[in-house]
Amino acid sequence: MTRFVVENRIFDRAECLPRADLEALQLARLRDVVGRVAQVPFYREAFALRGLSAKSIHGLDDVRRLPFTTKDDLRRQHPLGFLTVPRERLARIHGSSGTTGRPTYVAYSAADLQLWAGLCARFLVAGGLRPEHTAQVAFGYGLFTGGFGLHYGIERVGATVLPAASGNTRRQIELMQDLGAEILICTPSYALTIAETARELGIEPHSLPLKFAHFGGEPWTEAMRAQIETELGLLAFNNYGLSEVIGPGVSGECAVRDGMHVQEDHFLVECLDPDTLEPVPEGEPGELVITTLTKEAMPLLRYRTRDIARVWRQPCACGRTTARMSRVTGRTDDMLIIRGVNVYPSQIEEALLRVEGTTPHYLIEVERPAVADEVTIRVEVLPELLSDRMDRMQQLRERIAREVMAVAGIRAAIELAVPRTLERFAGKAKRVNDKRRLTE
Ligand code: DLL
């Protein structure tokens, strides 16, 4: 296996502030953001109820007095009820899928876009990107934050961007070969698809010019890292983020690859027990709750990510002083990430119910037989729809699959079931059977 070594380089001295200075900066920024969000009706009301203002923040622990923000809160203020700047100051709007199929929007000012590029540049440099490299971005460019976020991060480093966007795997391979991309940026599962496709084309994946890769947007494991690195002969780095907070750039690995450095000068991270909402002991798994300290257009207080991970603050050998987080090992809600696309079971339900004759009895099965996630939806249909004619049944399956694609954005195999054949539940229905095994 080819091994490349990443020499430790730091993009921004702010990544290495002494903890006391970092915390003083966080406190000043926390006060500032609390003052700024007070004009957002959602926060104004919550502050009024609790008698809060920027003056209530004396120490970082006072973050715990602030209200949480959830995806539902964003949805209730649809489309852009969390802005702290006038609409004309916006420079970009991205979106992320929501439980209803309607995206929640996230807005950026020009300064936010600058900040975002800098945050992505930090983890890209930590994971080996240098100005002389060519980096192929195989993330979607669109409402999804992956493509554009990483694109501008690469530009900020001064490297060459190859905006391949997602899909068309043969062309991805051709681009890499033609233009000598050393860096691959995509979801980890897509990297395995690239390796698999290369082999099908009679190209040894090792022969591709890739040296380093930055993966994020979906959960993966150490075992998957080992597999990707062996197959493609590269060093793979993990990075994490979510649209509501900024997109990619919330945290990322350094050359040590022992946890992802949280960009704490811009994000205040808490790790809470999702039931009690009290902090878990340092290093224990909990839900990440993030306050954006410096975002201008749409700052959020205590955003509940629903992601479960561990956070610790021991110094890292790389010299960065920021807290690190583990891989994401689960979610506190039922969101699934299928080939990088966020999907809620309620979206599948909505799609099924758009087709006449289907019932709300269904089961979503997710597997990763080889490299890519595969989804099968079993749904009971009314007896009158069941037919001996293969073509009718096929049409019905295709119709359902089209609705699932339209609402949830994923391809799924549809299996039609006879009424009352799927399991019934007395309590909370179990709609998802996720057979993928995710560990740190
Ligand atoms: O996936 C942002 C992103 C794009 C991050 C590209 C990194 C690279 P959303 O579509 O809003 O944003 O999805 C966010 O994806 O709450 C996690 O559940 C999951 N996620 C993102 N990165 C990782 C990761 C982007 N490295 C949701 N490991 C988050 C595990 C991840 N899960």
Side-chain angles (χ1 to χ4, degrees):
M1 180 174 53
T2 327
R3 292 297 281 193
F4 298 96
V5 179
V6 169
E7 146 222 350
N8 183 27
R9 196 176 293 176
I10 287 165
F11 182 75
D12 187 339
R13 293 314 303 172
E15 298 172 74
C16 306
L17 290 176
R19 283 293 313 174
D21 295 356
L22 174 61
E23 284 168 17
L25 182 66
Q26 285 185 308
L27 179 58
R29 290 180 165 175
L30 180 62
R31 274 202 202 105
D32 175 65
V33 71
V34 169
R36 287 188 290 122
V37 298
Q39 57 180 298
V40 174
F42 173 83
Y43 291 122
R44 191 169 56 231
E45 281 163 32
F47 287 1
L49 273 175
R50 294 160 199 233
L52 286 174
S53 72
K55 292 201 187 77
S56 324
I57 305 295
H58 304 289
L60 284 176
D61 280 348
D62 287 325
V63 71
R64 293 178 53 198
R65 300 173 62 191
L66 300 174
F68 290 103
T69 313
T70 64
K71 185 135 185 154
D72 273 345
D73 295 327
L74 297 185
R75 246 203 355 257
R76 277 193 285 269
Q77 309 296 323
H78 194 81
L80 285 169
F82 276 83
L83 294 188
T84 54
V85 299
R87 255 314 271 274
E88 60 269 26
R89 295 251 339 260
L90 297 187
R92 174 107 57 82
I93 298 171
H94 281 279
S96 95
S97 48
T99 48
T100 60
R102 198 159 73 150
T104 43
Y105 300 114
V106 289
Y108 303 74
S109 66
D112 292 331
L113 293 180
Q114 291 297 322
L115 165 69
W116 192 16
L119 294 175
C120 288
R122 286 185 187 180
F123 76 74
L124 287 167
V125 165
L129 182 69
R130 302 289 179 262
E132 61 272 22
H133 287 148
T134 297
Q136 183 158 331
V137 181
F139 270 132
Y141 281 70
L143 283 184
F144 177 58
T145 52
F148 283 102
L150 270 306
H151 182 105
Y152 289 102
I154 298 163
E155 283 195 358
R156 177 64 63 86
V157 175
T160 309
V161 192
L162 199 49
S166 60
N168 199 342
T169 312
R170 284 173 178 234
R171 199 195 50 179
Q172 301 278 356
I173 294 167
E174 206 175 278
L175 281 171
M176 266 171 217
Q177 289 181 315
D178 282 352
L179 298 166
E182 295 102 336
I183 316 284
L184 174 63
I185 293 179
C186 57
T187 55
S189 52
Y190 192 55
L192 284 172
T193 304
I194 291 177
E196 193 184 50
T197 309
R199 241 179 278 109
E200 281 166 14
L201 295 172
I203 299 165
E204 167 54 42
H206 255 262
S207 71
L208 295 172
L210 301 172
K211 289 183 176 162
F212 309 123
H214 290 272
F215 299 132
E218 67 180 8
W220 53 312
T221 58
E222 278 308 313
M224 218 168 139
R225 164 142 59 194
Q227 192 187 349
I228 298 172
E229 292 190 334
T230 310
E231 298 208 4
L232 284 161
L234 48 73
L235 267 186
F237 293 84
N238 193 10
N239 72 88
Y240 165 86
L242 60 162
S243 343
E244 294 82 357
V245 170
I246 200 157
V250 175
S251 67
E253 283 179 329
C254 65
V256 177
R257 304 202 302 176
D258 180 20
M260 293 182 277
H261 286 275
V262 180
Q263 315 242 34
E264 279 188 290
D265 47 339
H266 298 280
F267 307 109
L268 187 63
V269 63
E270 299 170 81
C271 191
L272 306 183
D273 178 319
D275 297 322
T276 62
L277 295 175
E278 291 296 319
V280 296
E282 170 117 351
E284 295 288 318
E287 179 181 331
L288 302 180
V289 171
I290 300 177
T291 298
T292 68
L293 296 173
T294 51
K295 252 178 42 177
E296 189 178 55
M298 200 177 140
L300 297 179
L301 300 184
R302 305 191 87 195
Y303 185 71
R304 291 196 57 184
T305 66
R306 310 286 173 185
D307 289 319
I308 300 288
R310 298 179 293 110
V311 175
W312 64 98
R313 291 183 171 76
Q314 280 89 352
C316 178
C318 73
R320 290 175 184 79
T321 49
T322 42
R324 279 172 286 164
M325 63 177 267
S326 67
R327 289 181 180 282
V328 173
T329 51
R331 302 234 347 139
T332 64
D333 66 4
D334 54 4
M335 186 181 89
L336 294 162
I337 304 187
I338 313 281
R339 284 178 238 120
V341 179
N342 302 354
V343 180
Y344 289 89
S346 55
Q347 289 177 289
I348 304 284
E349 183 165 317
E350 187 188 320
L352 294 177
L353 294 178
R354 283 185 182 188
V355 180
E356 213 176 311
T358 58
T359 72
H361 299 292
Y362 61 93
L363 181 70
I364 306 164
E365 217 165 68
V366 192
E367 288 177 281
R368 192 175 281 169
V371 296
D373 299 327
E374 287 184 7
V375 182
T376 306
I377 301 169
R378 294 207 171 83
V379 55
E380 289 182 13
V381 292
L382 297 178
E384 50 272 32
L385 262 88
L386 293 169
S387 153
D388 291 339
R389 286 193 39 198
M390 290 279 280
D391 59 336
R392 287 220 186 120
M393 301 305 282
Q394 184 55 22
Q395 275 168 7
L396 182 57
R397 279 196 292 266
E398 282 170 7
R399 168 95 210 279
I400 297 174
R402 271 200 306 276
E403 291 297 343
V404 170
M405 172 54 90
V407 179
I410 55 159
R411 235 178 318 110
I414 308 296
E415 285 182 11
L416 304 176
V418 173
R420 304 211 59 80
T421 50
L422 294 181
E423 196 180 343
R424 297 294 191 265
F425 301 90
K428 227 171 132 61
K430 191 172 175 292
R431 299 292 191 203
V432 179
N433 183 6
D434 192 342
K435 296 178 168 168
R436 299 168 296 181
R437 293 272 164 270
L438 289 175
T439 53
E440 275 186 43

